[in-house]
């Protein structure tokens, strides 16, 4: 094995940049999860499966409807978000009064069903999906070759993350949401339709997952397992960031991508475990995560 | 997590806690189980029954922590798996007799439980669960990176069944069955004793209202750690025995989906009931076995069971029965 | 002799011949593989279809042999696989287990088959240990192994000019074995391994590792991984312009189903070794058409072809030996040369290794392909003797 200690600075910059790009994926995925947990107190284990559905809807748009990537970026979140709304109305609303654990187990069960159905129908090797022609190729930055698509992913992810944060923290709609979480009865007494708000929020969180799925389709293999592999990492990101905090999820997502990227250079075998080590350390020092409210 | 195990069975539990008829019912159930165990190898495939018993013990151990300690662990595979590796390795490479290998595996699991538990119990609820998951992932990573010990993804194969106490050969499935049945029965009785002891009462008090228990003078963290270690050790016992039965220890045993399976077994059987996990394990293992021919549909069926259990049978099979007969099970 | 006596003699003769005909041998074969996970497409239901085709082509009914086929999903877990194998042998009267991809499960099943004295014909797994240090008198390793893949992809590529290599190795025993075997072949053929990186298994994003491979300027990037890791690394390699930049990609364990999942745009130029390709000659084409009709239009992979070929040879051996006793049938299988339209003529060595040529392929460019599944162009043929490990080096106890 060829250990790269004393990595030349150019290679290091390249890896750092790649790490940040991956971080943008983690950020947008954990954003959806953080929105759902932070505002609804639901631990949505089906998030990985919904991410996978987003990628598959993009594929279906291309292969069944002849619709391209750009339209899929809008269609997939809406379609998958709609299924999310159905899930919330039919399943989650019924168990809302019980312990968090049941929500987690229910969404875990749903994830198994969704994954199993897709696997049965589409096989497990995956389906081909290419990079849209407007985004192929790349720039030679000197220290590395940056594919244009990856640059687009960072931009799209940052825009969506910041927009979501802004809506939730700085607008009136966001304040209704936050009030509904803290005290649903009182908020409802003010005339705000809390159940509708809850349903739409869940749908929005799921739509975020599907958006990440469409972003992923051109560069990661589109297969039914793609979500399952990512889900526990995304959970770890959300927990480290603090389960109620939107900004926490975003910052932690990017930071984690960075740390993972550096680990891939110096001790690559550990790059998928480093996040768990960090999670244990953070939770021991800051019980509610880096930015979280008290548990 | 406070309303978890006791939500619907609370009234029944409070009423029948010190009820004599409940104790008699349990005694009869134990006799029935012993009889079933005695008859089983002659009517069913012994290896299948042994698999059920190992997983039932695993689920019982997990339920001890969750149902009676109120602590949801997502990392129980670590104890199950590491014990099975230790048991397999010592039986194969050090030539230990099976009972010593199993004891050593159990001991290692208990120590691991002590270390992980000390770290995890500092936090509550979902954070506790995530720490246990993270620690179990590290155990998985360790297993991956030490192929000389664990055999990597080939696992440790061809583990000899050996001779019990150096005298009785366990190569025959029936002979091994009696040992496994005895271990299971012992584990079950031990857990029952723990639950119905003063120690168990304190644990339940802590589960239901920790601040109040502390105000009464009980050192909650010590009790929680003790339950954690007991649960980990018993899970290890199940894992170590399984390694001898199947003559193999592999990465599946330490992977997080194994932790998920034990949650499923306990949920289906009945959280917080004594006999629930046994039923749950039997159902899940049987389902995996007999549906193996269905391929992908197994995943879907498992998912449907999860969903149905959460929506409709939150108390689990045994929990529903307990509510019906108005006695704790 | 008058008519009555003649008739009586005929009747008597018929009666005496009847027991020989009525002595039917009943064989139960189990196809054990991954039907729901990452290897479901390269084995799965397709292997069961292949097995049924073998029974049909063998014309079992006419020969007085009754063949029943059962199947199960081992989910790539050694404990699930060993439970099913045990139950099949102990309770369900299965005589023969076929397929079994995933090396850890294969090793477990091989061990149990030896303990219960049955037969295992492995088509799906790669580990050369099955005919090496873990060899068994009850196991035949049919389709391919890691040694042959290394010989093909490694050796042939060095000969074709790819003499500097960088490995992306999945960090688990199988990945390490692929890297190790390939390195041995490359250095022997005069090439050099300039670097390697261990990628966590399973992984999704390989961009960081591919960047390192690109920076190394090695002529060939060896992908010592399989399944999802392979598809992701190939897809991302094309994104980073690696093949456009002049470096070649070698997939050390690649199946036609992987290329189908990638699409030619992403996979073009990938070099790989397989022992069977549906479009190789008329014999393979004809069989593959029959197979595809039963498999939803999907053409067979080499693993599925191996199940057909293995079961066919087993049945021929049972017919010749007039018995299904494991030791007797195994001796016949190793004694009789093998011959079928899929793998051609071959034989089985004393250590259980099936011998047949291996083929080096390169994935076509989209412009070169005439339609779905038209993916490969043949680069070289590796004769069996060169492809598989020499008996003396295997470390198998059966080799005297």
């Amino acid at each position: 094995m060829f250990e790269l200690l004393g990595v030349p600075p150019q290679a290091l910059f390249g890896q750092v940049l790649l790490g940040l790009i991956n971080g943008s994926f983690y950020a947008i995925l954990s954003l959806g999860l953080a929105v759902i947990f932070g505002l609804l107190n639901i631990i949505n284990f089906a998030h990985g499966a919904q991410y996978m559905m987003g990628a598959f809807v993009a594929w279906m748009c291309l292969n069944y409807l002849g619709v391209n990537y750009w339209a899929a970026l809008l269609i997939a979140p809406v379609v998958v978000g709609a299924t999310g709304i159905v899930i919330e109305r039919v399943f989650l609303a019924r168990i809302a009064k019980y312990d968090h654990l049941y929500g987690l187990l229910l969404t875990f069960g749903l994830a198994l069903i969704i994954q199993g159905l897709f696997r049965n129908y589409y096989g497990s090797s995956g389906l081909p999906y290419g990079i849209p022609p407007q985004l192929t190729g790349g720039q030679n930055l000197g220290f590395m070759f940056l594919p244009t698509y990856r640059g687009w992913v960072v931009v799209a992810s940052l825009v969506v993350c910041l927009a979501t944060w802004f809506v939730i923290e700085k607008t009136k709609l966001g304040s209704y949401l936050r009030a509904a979480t803290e005290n649903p009865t009182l908020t409802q007494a003010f005339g705000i339709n809390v159940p509708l708000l809850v349903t739409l929020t869940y749908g929005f969180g799921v739509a975020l997952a599907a958006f990440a799925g469409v972003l992923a389709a051109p560069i990661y293999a589109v297969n039914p397992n793609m979500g399952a592999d990512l889900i526990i990492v995304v959970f770890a990101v959300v927990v480290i960031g603090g389960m109620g905090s939107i900004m926490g999820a975003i910052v932690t997502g990017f930071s984690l991508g960075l740390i993972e990227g550096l680990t891939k250079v110096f001790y690559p075998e550990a790059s998928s475990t480093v996040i768990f080590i960090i999670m244990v350390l953070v939770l021991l020092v800051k019980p509610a995560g880096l930015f979280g409210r008290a548990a | 997590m406070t309303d978890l195990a006791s939500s619907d069975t609370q009234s029944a539990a409070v009423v029948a806690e010190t009820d004599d008829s409940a104790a008699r019912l349990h005694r009869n159930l134990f006799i029935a189980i012993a009889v079933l165990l005695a008859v089983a190898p002659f009517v069913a495939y012994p290896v299948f029954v042994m698999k059920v018993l190992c997983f039932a013990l695993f689920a019982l151990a997990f339920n001890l922590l969750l149902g009676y300690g109120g602590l949801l662990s997502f990392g129980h595979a670590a104890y199950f798996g590491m014990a099975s590796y230790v048991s397999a390795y010592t039986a194969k490479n050090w030539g230990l007799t099976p009972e010593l290998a199993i004891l050593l595996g159990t001991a290692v699991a208990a120590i691991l439980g002590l270390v992980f538990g000390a770290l995890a119990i500092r936090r509550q609820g979902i954070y506790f669960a995530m720490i246990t998951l993270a620690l179990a992932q590290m155990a998985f990573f360790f297993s991956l990176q030490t192929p000389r010990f664990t055999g990597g993804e080939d696992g440790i194969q061809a583990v000899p069944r050996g001779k019990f106490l150096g005298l009785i050969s366990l190569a025959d499935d029936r002979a091994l069955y009696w040992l496994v049945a005895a271990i299971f029965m012992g584990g079950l009785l031990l857990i029952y004793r723990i639950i119905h002891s003063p120690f168990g009462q304190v644990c339940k008090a802590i589960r239901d209202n920790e601040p109040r228990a502390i105000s009464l003078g009980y050192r909650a963290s010590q009790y929680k750690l003790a339950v954690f270690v007991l649960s980990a050790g018993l899970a290890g016992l199940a894992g170590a025995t399984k390694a001898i039965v199947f003559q193999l220890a592999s990465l599946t045993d330490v992977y997080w989906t194994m932790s998920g399976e034990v949650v499923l077994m306990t949920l289906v059987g009945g959280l917080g009931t004594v006999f629930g996990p046994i039923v749950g394990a039997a159902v899940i293992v049987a389902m995996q076995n007999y549906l193996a021919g269905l391929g992908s549909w197994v995943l879907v069926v498992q998912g449907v069971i999860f969903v149905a259990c959460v929506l409709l049978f939150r108390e689990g099979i045994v929990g529903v029965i307990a509510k019906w007969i108005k006695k704790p099970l | 002799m008058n008519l009555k006596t003649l008739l009586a003699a005929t009747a008597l003769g018929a009666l005496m011949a009847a027991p020989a005909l009525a002595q039917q041998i009943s064989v139960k074969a189990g196809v054990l593989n991954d039907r729901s996970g990452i290897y479901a497409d390269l084995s799965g239901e397709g292997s069961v279809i292949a097995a049924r085709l073998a029974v049909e082509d063998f014309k079992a009914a006419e020969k007085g042999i009754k063949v029943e086929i059962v199947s199960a999903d081992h989910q790539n877990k050694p404990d699930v696989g060993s439970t099913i194998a045990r139950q099949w042998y102990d309770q369900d009267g299965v005589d023969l287990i076929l397929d079994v991809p995933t090396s850890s499960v294969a090793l477990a099943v091989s061990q149990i088959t030896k303990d219960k004295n049955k037969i295992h014909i492995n088509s799906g797994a790669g580990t050369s240990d099955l005919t090496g240090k873990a060899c068994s008198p009850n196991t035949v390793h049919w389709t391919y192994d890691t040694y042959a893949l290394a010989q093909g992809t490694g050796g042939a590529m060095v000969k074709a000019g790819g003499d500097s290599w960088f490995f992306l190795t999945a960090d688990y025993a199988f990945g390490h074995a692929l890297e190790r075997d390939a390195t041995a072949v490359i250095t022997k053929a005069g090439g050099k391994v300039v670097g390697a990186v261990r990628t966590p298994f399973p992984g999704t994003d390989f961009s960081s590792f591919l960047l390192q491979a690109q920076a190394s300027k090695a002529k060939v990037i060896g992908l010592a991984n399989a399944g999802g890791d392979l598809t992701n690394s190939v897809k991302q390699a094309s994104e980073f312009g690696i093949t456009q930049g002049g470096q070649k990609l070698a997939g050390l364990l690649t199946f036609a189903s992987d290329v189908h999942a990638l699409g030619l745009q992403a996979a073009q130029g990938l070099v790989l070794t397989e022992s069977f390709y549906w479009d190789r000659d008329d014999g393979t084409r004809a069989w593959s058409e029959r197979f595809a009709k039963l498999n939803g239009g999907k053409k067979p992979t080499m693993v599925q072809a191996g199940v057909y070929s293995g079961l066919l040879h087993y049945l021929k051996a049972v017919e010749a030996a007039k018995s299904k006793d494991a030791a007797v049938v195994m001796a016949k299988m190793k004694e009789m040369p093998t011959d079928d339209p899929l793998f051609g003529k071959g034989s089985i060595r004393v250590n259980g290794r099936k011998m047949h040529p291996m083929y080096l392929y390169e994935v076509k460019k989209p412009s070169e392909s005439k339609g779905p599944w038209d993916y490969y162009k043949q680069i070289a043929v590796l004769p069996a003797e060169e492809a598989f490990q020499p008996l003396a080096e295997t470390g198998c106890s059966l080799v005297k």
Side-chain angles (χ1 to χ4, degrees):
Chain A
M1 201 191 111
F2 200 77
E3 277 259 52
L4 296 167
L5 301 166
V7 179
Q10 296 148 295
L12 202 58
F13 287 150
Q15 299 295 353
V16 165
L17 189 55
L18 277 176
L20 281 173
I21 294 172
N22 279 341
S24 59
F25 255 108
Y26 288 137
I28 200 166
L29 268 172
S30 49
L31 183 66
L33 209 59
V35 163
I36 294 175
F37 186 79
L39 298 176
L40 305 178
N41 271 323
I42 298 171
I43 304 167
N44 184 30
F45 226 94
H47 214 70
Q50 286 149 345
Y51 158 80
M52 179 265 288
M53 282 201 289
F56 267 89
V57 169
W59 180 86
M60 286 182 214
C61 280
L62 189 63
N63 286 284
Y64 294 161
L65 301 173
V67 163
N68 70 9
Y69 171 84
W70 301 101
L73 271 177
L74 289 169
I75 296 178
V78 169
V79 169
V80 182
T83 64
I85 289 177
V86 169
I87 288 176
E88 204 279 330
R89 283 282 90 204
V90 174
F91 298 111
L92 294 171
R94 273 173 228 266
I95 56 159
K97 48 186 181 287
Y98 301 114
D99 197 275
H100 297 338
L101 167 66
Y102 292 116
L104 190 154
L105 291 175
L106 181 74
T107 49
F108 183 65
L110 287 171
L112 287 179
I113 296 176
I114 296 171
Q115 222 176 296
L117 288 174
F118 272 85
R119 219 186 247 170
N120 261 347
Y121 206 64
Y122 289 106
S124 47
S125 298
L127 299 166
Y129 194 88
I131 300 180
Q134 300 87 353
L135 292 172
T136 49
Q139 302 279 50
N140 192 336
L141 298 175
F143 53 86
M144 69 170 272
F145 175 84
L146 176 68
T148 314
Y149 190 78
R150 300 249 172 180
W152 154 249
V153 166
V154 182
V155 169
S157 166
L158 268 172
V159 166
V160 171
C161 284
L162 291 173
T164 309
W165 173 82
F166 184 79
V167 166
I168 291 179
E169 296 290 326
K170 302 285 179 200
T171 64
K172 203 153 115 176
L173 176 64
S175 65
Y176 287 166
L177 267 169
R178 281 178 286 129
T181 315
E182 284 187 35
N183 200 329
T185 333
L186 195 57
T187 317
Q188 191 135 15
F190 278 117
I192 295 169
N193 190 341
V194 170
L196 180 66
L197 218 48
V198 166
T199 310
L200 288 176
T201 309
Y202 184 77
F204 177 66
V206 171
L208 278 173
F211 183 75
V214 180
L215 283 180
I219 49 173
Y220 296 155
V222 177
N223 68 38
N225 301 330
M226 62 194 292
D229 299 333
L230 274 178
I231 187 78
I232 39 174
V233 176
V234 173
F235 260 108
V237 168
V238 175
V239 170
I240 293 176
M243 291 191 84
S245 165
I246 309 294
M247 189 46 85
I250 300 174
V251 169
T252 313
F254 279 101
S255 318
L256 174 75
L258 194 61
I259 295 177
E260 201 185 64
L262 288 171
T263 320
K264 280 185 184 168
V265 177
F266 295 111
Y267 188 20
E269 299 88 324
S271 51
S272 57
T273 316
V274 68
I275 174 152
F276 296 105
I277 301 174
I278 294 176
M279 179 162 74
V280 174
L281 292 171
V282 166
L283 284 180
L284 289 177
V285 171
K286 286 208 96 190
L290 291 174
F291 294 79
R293 304 179 288 238
Chain B
M1 292 287 158
T2 51
D3 58 293
L4 197 55
S6 43
S7 51
D8 301 281
T9 55
Q10 190 153 35
S11 46
V14 163
V15 162
E17 229 21 306
T18 48
D19 201 296
D20 270 344
S21 66
R24 245 181 299 131
L25 172 64
H26 292 171
R27 198 171 3 104
N28 292 336
L29 277 173
F30 281 124
I31 295 174
I33 291 177
V35 167
L36 267 174
L37 284 180
V39 168
F42 303 105
V43 295
Y45 181 44
V47 178
F48 172 74
V49 186
M50 287 195 275
K51 183 174 189 186
V52 172
L53 291 179
C54 288
F55 278 98
L57 186 58
F58 185 27
L60 282 166
F62 175 79
N63 186 41
L64 183 66
L65 188 63
L66 177 59
Y68 295 94
L71 298 165
L72 170 65
S73 157
F74 272 146
H76 252 54
Y79 319 111
F80 184 78
M82 292 316 292
S84 95
Y85 273 129
V86 168
S87 162
Y89 187 82
T90 54
K92 184 175 183 189
N93 297 53
W94 292 357
L96 283 188
T97 51
E99 77 284 355
L100 283 180
I102 292 177
L103 278 169
L104 198 56
T106 311
V108 167
I111 295 173
L112 196 63
L114 184 63
V115 173
F116 283 3
L119 287 171
I121 55 167
R122 296 190 197 191
R123 298 294 164 244
Q124 318 267 31
I126 186 66
Y127 298 100
F128 169 84
M130 292 306 288
I131 293 187
T132 56
L133 173 64
L135 292 169
Q137 278 302 98
M138 292 198 269
F140 173 72
F141 181 65
F142 169 79
S143 310
L144 259 184
Q145 296 294 337
T146 51
R148 238 173 307 164
F149 166 51
T150 62
E153 82 283 3
D154 286 346
I156 305 181
Q157 309 247 359
V159 175
R161 287 210 183 144
K163 298 201 171 87
F164 182 62
L165 293 177
L167 300 169
I168 314 168
S169 167
L170 294 176
D172 180 49
D173 288 340
R174 295 252 171 91
L176 180 59
Y177 175 83
W178 298 121
L179 176 64
V180 173
I183 291 177
F184 169 77
M185 206 61 201
L188 175 62
L189 288 168
L190 178 64
I191 290 176
Y192 185 81
R193 203 64 203 86
I194 293 173
I195 293 171
H196 290 90
S197 70
F199 170 80
Q201 301 285 38
V202 177
C203 287
K204 273 179 263 184
I206 295 175
R207 173 198 71 191
D208 288 338
N209 197 330
E210 189 168 337
R212 191 148 191 220
I214 296 177
S215 74
L216 286 169
Y218 292 109
R219 290 239 191 84
S221 358
Q222 282 187 350
Y223 279 89
K224 288 202 281 194
L225 185 60
V227 170
F228 198 96
V229 172
L230 281 167
S231 175
L234 286 163
L237 179 61
T241 312
K242 184 214 72 110
I244 300 287
V245 170
F246 288 100
Q247 300 179 271
L248 130 72
S250 74
L251 283 175
T252 326
D253 302 330
V254 279
Y255 198 51
W256 64 273
T257 42
M258 177 63 82
S259 299
E261 266 182 37
V262 77
V263 177
L264 178 63
M265 287 179 200
T266 314
L267 182 70
V268 166
L271 281 167
T273 61
V274 177
F275 301 95
I278 306 176
V279 173
V283 168
I284 300 299
V285 171
M287 192 190 74
Q288 285 179 344
N289 234 51
Y290 293 107
L291 296 183
L294 283 184
S296 265
W297 291 105
V298 180
L299 252 169
V300 179
V301 171
Q302 265 190 328
V304 170
I305 292 182
F306 248 115
V307 171
C309 274
V310 170
L311 284 179
L312 306 168
F313 303 114
R314 247 176 325 276
E315 307 90 23
I317 297 173
V318 172
V320 166
I321 298 176
K323 210 160 77 152
W324 193 47
I325 62 172
K326 295 202 178 34
K327 287 206 174 46
L329 275 176
Chain C
M1 182 186 307
N2 64 11
L3 189 59
K4 235 188 349 187
T5 326
L6 185 59
L7 278 171
T10 318
L12 194 62
L15 270 172
M16 286 174 66
L21 276 172
Q23 189 194 18
Q24 242 207 6
I25 304 181
S26 193
V27 168
K28 198 164 180 183
V31 178
L32 180 63
N33 57 26
D34 179 13
R35 296 171 68 92
S36 58
I38 44 174
Y39 301 133
D41 288 338
L42 59 90
S43 55
E45 177 66 18
S47 296
V48 179
I49 294 173
R52 289 205 198 106
L53 283 174
V55 175
E56 199 181 295
D57 288 352
F58 176 69
K59 302 196 197 350
E62 298 166 23
K63 300 188 180 159
I65 299 178
K66 181 162 140 1
V67 185
E68 189 191 335
I69 297 179
V70 293
S71 63
D73 182 4
H74 65 45
Q75 301 173 39
N76 298 316
K77 296 184 184 151
D79 38 346
V80 177
S82 60
T83 315
I84 296 173
R86 250 180 237 275
Q87 190 150 343
W88 271 357
Y89 287 146
D90 284 342
Q91 300 278 94
D92 301 335
V94 170
D95 305 297
L96 161 73
I97 290 187
L98 297 160
D99 206 358
V100 194
T102 307
S103 301
S104 51
V105 189
L107 288 168
V109 171
S110 181
Q111 181 66 41
I112 295 175
T113 307
K114 188 161 103 168
D115 291 340
K116 310 274 174 188
N117 195 27
K118 304 277 184 175
I119 291 190
H120 173 45
I121 302 181
N122 187 296
S123 179
T127 176
S128 25
D129 286 350
L130 270 177
T131 50
K133 56 183 186 23
C135 69
S136 145
N138 298 67
T139 297
V140 176
H141 197 184
W142 202 269
T143 311
Y144 72 103
D145 60 25
T146 48
Y147 186 91
L149 295 176
Q151 287 290 113
T153 314
M157 283 210 81
V158 173
K159 275 197 211 113
D163 55 7
S164 59
W165 283 64
F166 186 96
F167 279 105
L168 252 69
T169 306
D171 189 27
Y172 68 130
F174 189 71
H176 299 180
L178 277 175
E179 185 197 326
R180 179 196 67 219
D181 289 345
T183 306
V185 170
I186 290 165
T187 33
K188 201 158 103 174
K192 208 165 55 113
V193 175
V194 302
V197 65
R198 298 267 162 87
T199 69
F201 170 77
T204 328
D205 186 66
F206 293 85
S207 47
S208 164
F209 311 116
L210 286 166
L211 204 64
Q212 294 176 36
Q214 218 172 17
S216 76
K217 310 249 188 298
K219 293 206 191 118
V220 183
I221 299 178
L223 299 171
N225 54 25
D229 283 6
L230 176 72
T231 30
N232 270 315
S233 33
V234 172
K235 197 166 177 178
Q236 287 155 27
S238 91
E239 196 196 337
F240 279 81
I242 284 185
T243 31
Q244 290 86 316
Q247 287 169 304
K248 269 198 142 9
L249 277 179
L252 284 167
L253 177 56
T254 314
F255 298 93
S257 45
D258 296 322
V259 178
H260 184 72
L262 277 166
L264 285 177
Q265 183 62 34
Q268 59 188 304
L270 184 67
V271 176
L272 53 102
T273 303
E274 288 213 75
S275 56
F276 166 86
Y277 175 49
W278 72 273
D279 202 16
R280 194 177 68 227
D281 57 45
D282 291 328
T284 60
R285 270 188 285 273
W287 186 82
S288 306
E289 278 309 317
R290 289 169 61 205
F291 178 91
K293 277 205 198 56
L294 298 164
N295 193 33
K298 291 184 277 217
K299 292 286 194 301
T301 63
M302 64 173 173
V303 171
Q304 293 156 343
V307 172
Y308 170 88
S309 183
L311 181 58
L312 192 62
H313 190 65
Y314 171 85
L315 289 172
K316 287 184 191 163
V318 167
E319 182 194 8
K322 297 200 204 335
S323 138
K324 63 173 187 176
D325 171 75
V328 170
V329 175
M330 185 59 84
K332 260 281 172 262
M333 290 209 296
K334 291 183 181 168
E335 181 194 312
M336 294 164 55
T338 64
D339 191 4
D340 60 64
L342 306 185
F343 292 88
K345 294 201 200 317
S347 63
I348 302 180
R349 276 186 173 163
V350 64
N351 63 344
R353 179 67 249 165
K354 158 80 167 47
M355 303 295 283
H356 49 242
M358 300 290 290
Y359 303 86
L360 186 70
Y361 293 108
E362 184 180 318
V363 177
K364 289 183 174 174
K365 297 203 242 298
S367 50
E368 296 169 334
S369 162
K370 285 176 259 143
W373 297 99
D374 178 23
Y375 296 147
Y376 293 169
K377 49 184 182 213
Q378 188 173 305
I379 311 264
V381 182
L382 214 61
E385 298 300 325
E386 276 177 48
F388 296 103
Q389 198 171 28
L391 274 174
E393 290 171 26
T394 55
C396 171
S397 51
L398 296 170
V399 178
K400 308 275 185 295

